[in-house]
Amino acid sequence: MTDTTNETYPITTEILTISETEEGQGVYDVEVMIQFAADSEPEFGKYRSRQIDPHGINPQIRAWLSANPDAPILAYVPPSPPTPEEARAAMPPLTARQFRLGLVNSGLTPAQVTTAIEAMPAGPDKEAALIEWEYATAFNRMHPLIASVGASLGLTVEQIDAMWMAAVDL
């Protein structure tokens, strides 16, 4: 968009921070204020700036970097590895077929799962677990049924994790 003063928008009004990235080689994450039109207020934005990118506000960012060679650039800090709980929550769901084949490949049978559920105290939780086991078309690693049946079968969370990931490709 162009205004009546012949200034082309969007424009970079302020560079707030520059950080190295995991890509290295002059690729930066930039926090920037961007004005999208003459009659608008600048807005905060995050932008990944690469040397060879001729699009959007990147040429303005690169021009600013060239004009300000002593600008502070924050070092790249890799993200912390996920906790075991976060890793479990990110595991892909399994289809009923994958889940049951994963059990069999690990030396367990669907009948053992049914027996573990039937051993639960009578009530709505047991009935819900039976419905989940019988009719679910997909299973999520963090579903409470997985932990309770796994514990009933004497499996550790690490063993369940390994079984789960082995079943993903079935």
Side-chain angles (χ1 to χ4, degrees):
M1 178 186 319
T2 305
D3 74 359
T4 56
T5 63
N6 293 327
E7 188 150 19
T8 302
Y9 287 88
I11 61 171
T12 303
T13 62
E14 185 178 3
I15 304 288
L16 302 171
T17 64
I18 308 160
S19 303
E20 293 175 340
T21 69
E22 73 282 357
E23 293 182 43
Q25 303 173 351
V27 178
Y28 303 111
D29 283 336
V30 181
E31 292 182 345
V32 61
M33 297 301 290
I34 305 168
Q35 187 172 353
F36 290 96
D39 59 349
S40 68
E41 291 294 317
E43 298 177 25
F44 174 81
K46 293 183 178 183
Y47 196 88
R48 179 143 299 183
S49 176
R50 294 179 177 86
Q51 292 174 345
I52 60 170
D53 180 4
H55 304 288
I57 62 167
N58 196 59
Q60 295 173 48
I61 291 171
R62 286 300 169 165
W64 188 92
L65 289 169
S66 292
N68 295 278
D70 294 331
I73 298 175
L74 304 172
Y76 172 68
V77 178
S80 300
T83 65
E85 282 294 309
E86 291 168 335
R88 278 184 202 99
M91 288 181 177
L94 298 177
T95 65
R97 177 188 158 280
Q98 288 172 310
F99 186 75
R100 286 172 170 78
L101 286 173
L103 288 169
V104 171
N105 288 348
S106 298
L108 298 168
T109 66
Q112 287 175 285
V113 174
T114 302
T115 301
I117 294 171
E118 287 175 351
M120 293 173 69
D125 288 343
K126 177 180 178 176
E127 296 305 316
L130 284 167
I131 291 168
E132 291 281 350
W133 173 240
E134 291 269 334
Y135 300 106
T137 58
F139 291 88
N140 293 308
R141 175 63 185 89
M142 296 302 290
H143 192 284
L145 179 63
I146 303 301
S148 65
V149 170
S152 295
L153 296 173
L155 300 171
T156 66
V157 293
E158 292 80 12
Q159 288 172 310
I160 296 170
D161 291 346
M163 290 171 57
W164 197 274
M165 293 313 294
V168 166
D169 294 324
L170 296 177

